[in-house]
Amino acid sequence: MTQLLDLTSAAPDLEALATREGRIAVLLPGPEGLGPMARRLDRLTRGALRRLAGSEAFAKLKPGEAMELAFPAGLAAEAVQAVRLPRRADTASQRKAGATIARGHGAAPLLVLLETVPGAGDLALGLLARAYDFSVRKSAEPKVPGPATLWSADPEALAQPLALARARAEALFLTRDLVNEPANILTTTEFASRLLELRNLGVEVEVLEEDQLGQLGMGALLGVGQGSDSPTKLVVMQWKGQAGDQPPVALVGKGVCFDTGGISLKSPGGMEEMTMDMGGAAVVAGVIRLLAARRSAAHVVGLVGLVENMPSGRAQRPGDVVTTMKGDTVEVINTDAEGRLVLADVLWYAQQRFAPSAVIDLATLTGAIIVALGTENAGVFSNDDALADTFLKAARAEGEGAWRMPLGAGYDEKLKSRIADMMNVGGRDGGAIIAAQFLQRFIAEGRPWLHLDIAGVTLAKADTVLAPKGATGWGVLALDRLIRDLAEARPDSTPAPRAARRPAARPDPAAGA
Ligand code: BES
Ligand code: MN
Ligand code: ZN
């Protein structure tokens, strides 16, 4: 896995500031209210820092943005990066400040003058997450960033927020690495073996192979992988926190290691991006890793269907009819609508085996969600308003864009088949909603369910605040927070999962099957 930046905290040593080499980042609310470390830096630079902080340009910076003093007189350091950060800045600004520092950071050692502790965990997360660089597939020696040190008057108080920031960043890195890996390397077998490594953190991991999937009757999942030389697999990850005897929350991920479209072959332009079609499974892996790393009290199971969608002499054809584990038959009109076939069987299996208090699936499911929402927001579909609202709140708190989409019987009707129980496509209009309707047919009556169509947010074409161009890790932080909100004991409440405590909401009768 891509390594985290070496980040530690230490008590300030102001006497050593002048001779400190490398880069120094300092957080300034403005020309007033400089902390003791910033004041010392200002004195050493003979007032340059305060002049910078009082400048018009500095006043125009948004929270978390920075200006630089290069080769400042009075310091051995090669640069001072002055980051504008108002007092009591919000989470997003703290993370942005950390990310700004990461963008300036290179091979030289970095010193961050933190002054106070509140928000330091978010700043550290921004720094760690933005320092990500996927370079394992380059032959050149990786550019190792220099070590980073956070100076704080109370380094002890930083230990816990720093550990949490590291756990979060490592989860993001796992997800991003999986998404960034090409499909000749990240085969279904390689994916499964990377998931088995989660055992080292105390996660129970099982790999179900094709013969077992056949015995379980997973004709939809197996049909997708039929044309590939990579064996189809279902990986089950269980994290049993203190609430291990409670019904779990189930996270289900689409893990299409490469999606050519199958016999309904995609056009070549941009097909290489379909290495990211296992993004849902990668987020599930990241969330499970994070829950384990921070020893979450919750009981969460992660299930991912790992498969490759290829055309070949053995591949499934348009018009084939497959039988799902649930027993419903599906006429495969378009072999490129494969994600829903994968999820149908994995969703059903998850509910049959674990009777979860809530089911949450993630999938790079449709191009149509990109048409609808672009790359700013994932599509959120749910049969349970409380669950959807809790998720939307969690996503907002983590800065991960998410937007609720409708369900309804009218959309569901489009799936009617002449010869089978349903078709796997229902026309172009409202394609993301019709795909969600298909999934809902594999959700038991009354089971709280959330479907996240992440096709637009999984891979970024340009740098984002917390990630360079490429895999974003969208969803890891929001889902971790959702689990905390749903299923972790808080001092004022019982540990019972919230979704189970409430009587399960009946799906809207207008919402189709
Ligand atoms: N993996 C794709 C969806 C996708 C598209 C993800 C673009 C990321 C970026 C999915 O399997 C797919 O091919 N969906 C089809 C469905 C259609 C055939 C009903 C699509 O969206 O075109
Ligand atoms: Mn497809
Ligand atoms: Zn796909």
Side-chain angles (χ1 to χ4, degrees):
M1 198 177 86
T2 300
Q3 286 290 306
L4 290 194
L5 180 71
D6 171 12
L7 176 67
T8 49
S9 60
D13 177 4
L14 293 183
E15 298 313 312
L17 199 52
T19 54
R20 181 90 183 190
E21 295 191 356
R23 289 172 62 83
I24 299 175
V26 58
L27 308 167
L28 304 172
E32 305 304 326
L34 302 196
M37 295 188 228
R39 286 205 302 271
R40 173 67 72 106
L41 202 60
D42 183 53
R43 229 174 307 138
L44 290 170
T45 58
R46 295 185 205 102
L49 191 64
R50 218 181 274 270
R51 284 174 61 207
L52 181 152
S55 70
E56 223 174 287
F58 192 79
K60 279 192 186 141
L61 294 179
K62 296 197 187 91
E65 291 180 347
M67 277 171 64
E68 208 154 300
L69 280 180
F71 303 101
L75 295 178
E78 63 191 50
V80 170
Q81 190 182 28
V83 184
R84 188 168 162 242
L85 194 64
R87 297 227 169 283
R88 281 185 289 278
D90 61 9
T91 300
S93 303
Q94 293 277 5
R95 289 183 183 179
K96 185 165 181 196
T100 299
I101 296 169
R103 276 190 291 127
H105 182 41
L110 168 69
L111 176 65
V112 183
L113 308 183
L114 208 50
E115 312 274 2
T116 59
V117 174
D122 282 307
L123 185 135
L125 176 60
L127 179 48
L128 292 170
R130 188 59 181 79
Y132 177 81
D133 179 29
F134 185 72
S135 59
V136 275
R137 301 295 151 222
K138 291 189 174 168
S139 61
E141 280 292 304
K143 294 170 269 163
V144 182
T149 312
L150 303 179
W151 271 7
S152 160
D154 192 355
E156 228 94 292
L158 265 183
Q160 213 228 332
L162 260 190
L164 184 58
R166 280 197 203 96
R168 286 183 176 152
E170 278 172 348
L172 285 173
F173 281 24
L174 171 62
T175 299
R176 290 177 185 172
D177 279 359
L178 289 167
V179 169
N180 281 329
E181 285 283 31
N184 61 330
I185 299 208
L186 194 75
T187 59
T188 55
T189 303
E190 171 64 16
F191 201 144
S193 81
R194 292 198 190 183
L195 296 181
L196 283 167
E197 287 172 22
L198 293 174
R199 283 179 174 167
N200 298 332
L201 291 171
V203 179
E204 288 175 30
V205 188
E206 293 159 68
V207 182
L208 279 66
E209 304 290 348
E210 280 181 356
D211 51 346
Q212 290 160 287
L213 303 178
Q215 280 157 21
L216 287 162
M218 297 198 187
L221 171 62
L222 286 170
V224 173
Q226 198 175 294
S228 170
D229 287 341
S230 290
T232 297
K233 292 171 196 280
L234 170 56
V235 180
V236 182
M237 297 160 268
Q238 295 191 63
W239 172 252
K240 290 183 188 156
Q242 286 146 28
D245 51 352
Q246 308 266 348
V249 172
L251 303 177
V252 170
K254 169 179 173 181
V256 176
C257 290
F258 195 77
D259 180 13
T260 64
I263 297 298
S264 313
L265 195 62
K266 288 182 181 295
S267 55
M271 200 204 276
E272 72 284 354
E273 268 184 22
M274 287 301 125
T275 54
M276 55 75 109
D277 211 18
M278 28 55 65
V283 173
V284 172
V287 176
I288 296 282
R289 189 190 203 287
L290 179 47
L291 295 171
R294 63 176 186 80
R295 319 301 296 172
S296 158
H299 183 197
V300 179
V301 294
L303 300 99
V304 297
L306 304 180
V307 62
E308 188 180 41
N309 188 20
M310 295 288 268
S312 86
R314 282 177 294 122
Q316 108 178 318
R317 293 155 288 257
D320 282 4
V321 174
V322 295
T323 303
T324 60
M325 179 184 176
K326 183 186 175 194
D328 291 355
T329 58
V330 181
E331 185 184 6
V332 180
I333 299 294
N334 189 323
T335 64
D336 196 13
E338 85 296 340
R340 61 199 76 181
L341 298 169
V342 171
L343 290 176
D345 279 336
V346 183
L347 283 169
W348 193 253
Y349 177 78
Q351 295 167 89
Q352 294 299 300
R353 176 162 169 196
F354 294 108
S357 59
V359 184
I360 301 166
D361 76 73
L362 294 108
T364 49
L365 199 63
T366 67
I369 200 68
I370 311 177
V371 175
L373 299 177
T375 56
E376 292 295 308
N377 288 287
V380 178
F381 301 82
S382 185
N383 60 3
D384 184 314
D385 291 344
L387 179 61
D389 288 345
T390 310
F391 177 75
L392 290 170
K393 228 177 268 159
R396 200 170 313 126
E398 295 296 341
E400 295 180 327
W403 194 261
R404 182 109 184 242
M405 299 285 288
L407 293 163
Y411 299 104
D412 192 74
E413 272 174 28
K414 308 273 187 200
L415 292 168
K416 267 193 192 136
S417 160
R418 180 176 60 83
I419 64 164
D421 296 336
M422 68 194 89
M423 304 191 295
N424 74 329
V425 294
R428 235 169 59 96
D429 298 346
I433 308 171
I434 292 170
Q437 289 297 154
F438 183 95
L439 299 182
Q440 194 178 11
R441 287 173 174 239
F442 297 89
I443 298 299
E445 180 81 21
R447 174 105 46 211
W449 163 67
L450 189 74
H451 157 56
L452 302 172
D453 192 335
I454 60 172
V457 294
T458 296
L459 204 65
K461 287 193 163 50
D463 295 354
T464 61
V465 176
L466 287 189
K469 179 176 166 72
T472 61
W474 184 99
V476 170
L477 299 176
L479 285 167
D480 177 62
R481 181 182 284 263
L482 177 73
I483 304 273
R484 229 183 313 151
D485 293 344
L486 284 183
E488 285 180 24
R490 275 171 299 175
D492 60 339
S493 69
T494 58
R498 192 163 150 250
R501 218 162 52 233
R502 256 180 324 96
R506 287 181 60 79
D508 174 4

